[in-house]
Amino acid sequence: MKKLLFLTVSFLLSIAAWAQKDVTRFLGIPVDGTKSEMIRKLKEKGFRSSSYDSDILNGEFNGYRVKVHVVTNNNKVYRILVADAYPVNETAIRIRFNHLCQQFANNSRYTALQDDYTIPEDEKISYEILVNKKRYEAVFYQQPAADSAAITQELKSILLSKYTEEQIANATDEMRSDMFKMSFEYMMERYSKKSVWFMIKESSYGEYSILMYYDNEYNRADGEDL
C-alpha cells in the first residue's frame, strides 16, 4: 500500500483491532460461545456453582470473593458480570474503586476512555448518589491482538472503496485528512467492541459493592429480535 496508508496504519496499530474473533477475554477465556461452555471453562479456573442457582458461580477474582454471572443473547455469551460477594462501607468502597482504577491504568493490556476516574478523598459518595444521582463508573478497553498485515489489507479495501490507487498516491491535504478519518473510525469501531468497565452499586444504605462487566459487543442485542 502507498506511503500514506502505511503511516496511518503505524499510527493506529496500538489501538487497532482486527478480526471479529478478537473479542474481550475474562481470565484468558473469550467472552463468547454458549453459556454452558463458558460455565465449564470458568469451573476449570476454580469457580463453583452456587448452591441456590447453578448458573451463578462463586469464587475469587483479583483478591476478592465474587459471584460471576454469565449473560447471553440468543444463547451467545456477550457479558461476564463479576459482583462482589460482600458489600463494604463508603470508605472501603472508595479505596477499592480507586485501587481498581489504578490497576487498570497500570495494565498494558488496557487503555482508558478518560485519564482519571478516581474518587477524591473528600467526596461524599453517599451524598452524591442520593442527592445528585451520580453514577460512579470507569470504562476501559482491552488492547486488541493486532495483525498488521490483515489490518493493512482491510484498510486498503476501505480506502479503495472511495479513492483510486492514483488518488491515494497523490492525495491532497483534504483527501489525506479524509483517509485518516476513515481509517480512525474503522479502528475505533472495532476497538470499542472489547469493553471492560466497573461501577459502584449501593447494596443498602451505607453499604456498597463493585460490579465489573466484561463485554463482547459483537454479541450484544442490536434490535435483531424486534
Side-chain angles (χ1 to χ4, degrees):
M1 193 54 188
K2 304 302 181 181
K3 183 177 180 180
L4 171 65
L5 180 57
F6 282 123
L7 288 174
T8 303
V9 171
S10 297
F11 180 79
L12 295 173
L13 269 179
S14 63
I15 61 169
W18 165 251
Q20 293 186 358
K21 292 182 179 180
D22 181 27
V23 300
T24 310
R25 290 175 175 266
F26 174 69
L27 292 175
I29 305 170
V31 181
D32 203 356
T34 65
K35 176 181 280 191
S36 60
E37 290 172 344
M38 177 59 72
I39 290 177
R40 176 181 58 79
K41 292 174 182 178
L42 289 173
K43 286 183 175 179
E44 291 174 355
K45 293 286 186 177
F47 291 91
R48 294 293 177 262
S49 294
S50 166
S51 59
Y52 61 87
D53 188 339
S54 60
D55 283 348
I56 299 177
L57 303 177
N58 296 325
E60 183 176 306
F61 178 68
N62 196 36
Y64 287 83
R65 298 297 299 177
V66 298
K67 296 182 181 296
V68 177
H69 303 253
V70 179
V71 187
T72 63
N73 171 49
N74 286 330
N75 201 36
K76 289 184 178 180
V77 178
Y78 83 87
R79 166 175 288 172
I80 298 296
L81 165 59
V82 184
D84 287 351
Y86 306 109
V88 295
N89 62 30
E90 183 170 332
T91 299
I93 203 64
R94 177 188 291 105
I95 294 172
R96 171 136 165 69
F97 184 89
N98 287 348
H99 187 220
L100 267 176
C101 290
Q102 293 165 1
Q103 286 181 316
F104 274 94
N106 293 332
N107 191 323
S108 61
R109 295 195 303 272
Y110 291 89
T111 190
L113 192 62
Q114 67 183 49
D115 290 337
D116 186 14
Y117 291 103
T118 56
I119 306 170
E121 291 294 328
D122 59 350
E123 185 163 317
K124 300 295 183 183
I125 296 174
S126 57
Y127 177 85
E128 292 295 333
I129 291 177
L130 178 64
V131 177
N132 295 325
K133 309 302 180 185
K134 184 169 182 177
R135 181 181 170 107
Y136 290 95
E137 65 179 25
V139 182
F140 295 83
Y141 296 101
Q142 286 186 351
Q143 294 281 4
D147 180 336
S148 59
I151 291 172
T152 300
Q153 187 59 42
E154 183 68 8
L155 283 176
K156 178 179 179 179
S157 297
I158 290 173
L159 295 181
L160 287 175
S161 69
K162 185 173 181 179
Y163 298 100
T164 65
E165 290 272 10
E166 183 178 354
Q167 287 176 317
I168 293 173
N170 303 287
T172 63
D173 289 343
E174 183 179 355
M175 291 168 66
R176 290 192 186 94
S177 177
D178 184 50
M179 290 177 195
F180 182 85
K181 180 180 178 182
M182 290 171 65
S183 302
F184 187 81
E185 288 177 350
Y186 162 75
M187 299 298 191
M188 287 307 297
E189 191 276 331
R190 282 150 180 76
Y191 192 74
S192 65
K193 298 296 185 183
K194 302 178 66 176
S195 63
V196 179
W197 59 286
F198 53 93
M199 62 177 287
I200 293 176
K201 177 178 183 288
E202 186 173 21
S203 303
S204 60
Y205 185 73
E207 290 194 320
Y208 307 87
S209 58
I210 293 290
L211 301 182
M212 299 184 67
Y213 302 86
Y214 285 72
D215 289 344
N216 172 4
E217 298 292 343
Y218 288 109
N219 290 347
R220 182 186 290 274
D222 193 28
E224 65 271 15
D225 294 334
L226 297 179

